[in-house]
Amino acid sequence: MSLARDRAFMHLALALADRGAFTTTPNPRVGCVIAKGATLLGQGWHERAGQAHAEVNALRDAGEAARGATAYVTLEPCGNHGRTPPCVDALIAAGVARVVVASADRSQHDNQGMARLSAAGVVVEHLPCPEARELNQGFFSRIERQRPWVRVRLAKNLDGRAAWDDLQAWRARACAVLTCSDTLHADNPSLTVYLPDPQVAFIAPLRVVLDQHLAGATDAHVRDGEAATLIVHGPAVVPRGAPPGGVRFRQVGLKDGRLDLHQIMTLLAEEGCNEIQVEAGAQLCDALAAADLVDEWLAYVAPLSLHSDECPMLEIKGLESLTETRQLSIVEQCLVGENLRLRLRPVIGEPA
């Protein structure tokens, strides 16, 4: 077998998987390629939760040519019967001779999917690919840590349409957008997604509001029914009256007099949330950092910020608590229009 060829087909499968970035939640993003030698026979990706998985779509594309071929899959094929039948059954029935997997799936270990492939005479190989795990950080976080992947958005003097469109794309990738009642009072955001291309499909993220005392305005935009909203409150209050359409309430306990953030993350994992995007003020961002619940910071810095005495670029509000105890590494930096976008993550290991 050619390792270079295997890698090339797997990278194609990864590109296919990314096409489901806005639509697969709560499922992972998965791509699949069927090939024989250097010949591409079929390709597919998981397009939407509840619909056919990537392997099934690729097998349909390949047809009878899949017999004796190799399937390149970005995530271990499912062996359980959920809303769709097990993908391992489809691969075996199609007569695939070899399955190459980029990333294991701990949620499948009890289903013996890979063992069933091997027992059926299918050669199973693991081709480690960091991009495969990166694509599904939220899914792996929910399965392995029982909490979502938490991304905190920071922006100061956001400049231009390009940055706004980019922010909307990151919001569309999230399963939920998290804010607090203080932000509702200050800005009254809608927290909905507006992509520049109306033809691009997405699943509207759940809007989550932390409102300990249920003090948020009843006419806030997050209650407009345009997307589902979850309001999380403390144990000492009870919602009044029937909630408007699309609005639900959940209660969590307190820690040090405030909503328990770890309980909230467990709750959101139970809701099927893989990635959470936090769009709130410094107080909530700092609290999440202090609770060691921030996995990634998404920071936009406009040119105006570089010349501002009030907000120097390296003193972005919201990072202060984290940098006291952790080093940050830049995993991506790029220009979005006139803005610098940074993605930063805590360095795993000893505190700074």
Side-chain angles (χ1 to χ4, degrees), residues 20 32 46 96 105 110 135-136 141 156 158 181 216 234 260 283 340:
C32 179
H46 183 37
V96 168
D105 178 3
D110 292 337
L135 188 65
N136 285 304
S141 179
K156 185 66 175 179
L158 201 64
S181 56
D260 188 322
Q283 186 174 10
L340 175 65

Side-chain angles (χ1 to χ4, degrees), residues 35-336:
K36 188 174 293 184
T39 304
L40 173 65
L41 301 173
Q43 55 188 330
W45 69 95
H46 183 37
E47 298 178 18
R48 182 175 285 269
Q51 296 181 5
H53 289 188
E55 298 92 324
V56 172
N57 287 329
L59 289 170
R60 286 174 180 167
D61 191 37
E64 287 299 319
R67 189 163 300 278
T70 295
Y72 298 89
V73 192
T74 59
L75 185 68
E76 180 179 345
C78 64
N80 62 311
H81 199 300
R83 285 191 280 182
T84 59
C87 290
V88 295
D89 291 352
L91 291 165
I92 293 169
V96 168
R98 177 173 172 249
V99 174
V100 180
V101 176
S103 185
D105 178 3
R106 208 174 94 180
S107 69
Q108 298 299 331
H109 287 184
D110 292 337
N111 299 308
Q112 300 297 309
M114 303 303 283
R116 285 167 52 198
L117 285 171
S118 297
V122 179
V123 176
V124 179
E125 298 179 13
H126 182 210
L127 180 64
C129 189
E131 298 94 330
R133 188 169 181 89
E134 179 71 23
L135 188 65
N136 285 304
Q137 285 281 18
F139 175 77
F140 289 121
S141 179
R142 179 169 63 85
I143 296 300
E144 298 172 2
R145 303 189 298 178
Q146 290 75 56
R147 75 165 181 83
W149 177 267
V150 177
R151 179 172 58 247
V152 175
R153 193 265 347 240
L154 301 172
K156 185 66 175 179
N157 300 324
L158 201 64
D159 185 33
R161 182 72 193 184
W164 173 252
D165 290 346
D166 187 72
L167 171 60
Q168 292 296 312
W170 281 100
R171 190 181 281 181
R173 291 179 69 94
C175 302
V177 181
L178 176 69
T179 193
C180 60
S181 56
D182 288 346
T183 299
L184 294 191
H185 285 301
D187 302 323
N188 194 17
S190 64
L191 301 182
T192 47
V193 174
Y194 300 97
L195 295 177
D197 184 352
Q199 301 302 314
V200 175
F202 64 90
I203 295 176
L206 176 69
R207 302 181 289 191
V208 181
V209 180
L210 307 189
D211 190 352
Q212 181 173 338
H213 304 293
L214 289 180
T218 56
D219 60 350
H221 289 153
V222 295
R223 293 171 174 253
D224 60 12
E226 192 170 341
T229 297
L230 179 66
I231 299 177
V232 182
H233 61 87
V237 293
V238 178
R240 296 180 180 178
V247 176
R248 294 181 293 127
F249 294 89
R250 293 288 299 270
Q251 176 182 298
V252 298
L254 304 181
K255 183 175 182 180
D256 300 325
R258 296 186 178 276
L259 295 178
D260 188 322
L261 295 174
H262 287 275
Q263 278 193 32
I264 291 168
M265 293 305 158
T266 300
L267 181 157
L268 293 177
E270 293 170 353
E271 290 274 338
C273 293
N274 295 331
E275 294 181 20
I276 302 297
Q277 181 148 307
V278 180
E279 300 189 15
Q283 186 174 10
L284 177 56
C285 295
D286 285 344
L288 288 165
D292 201 23
L293 287 172
V294 179
D295 297 301
E296 183 170 84
W297 301 84
L298 182 68
Y300 293 85
V301 183
L304 179 61
S305 299
L306 301 178
H307 304 285
S308 171
D309 293 332
E310 296 180 1
C311 184
M313 183 177 67
L314 298 180
E315 294 181 12
I316 301 172
K317 194 72 174 174
L319 290 178
E320 296 155 356
S321 296
L322 186 62
T323 53
E324 288 175 2
T325 57
R326 286 282 187 90
Q327 290 181 322
L328 294 176
S329 65
I330 298 175
V331 297
E332 182 189 42
Q333 52 184 327
C334 65
L335 283 176
V336 180

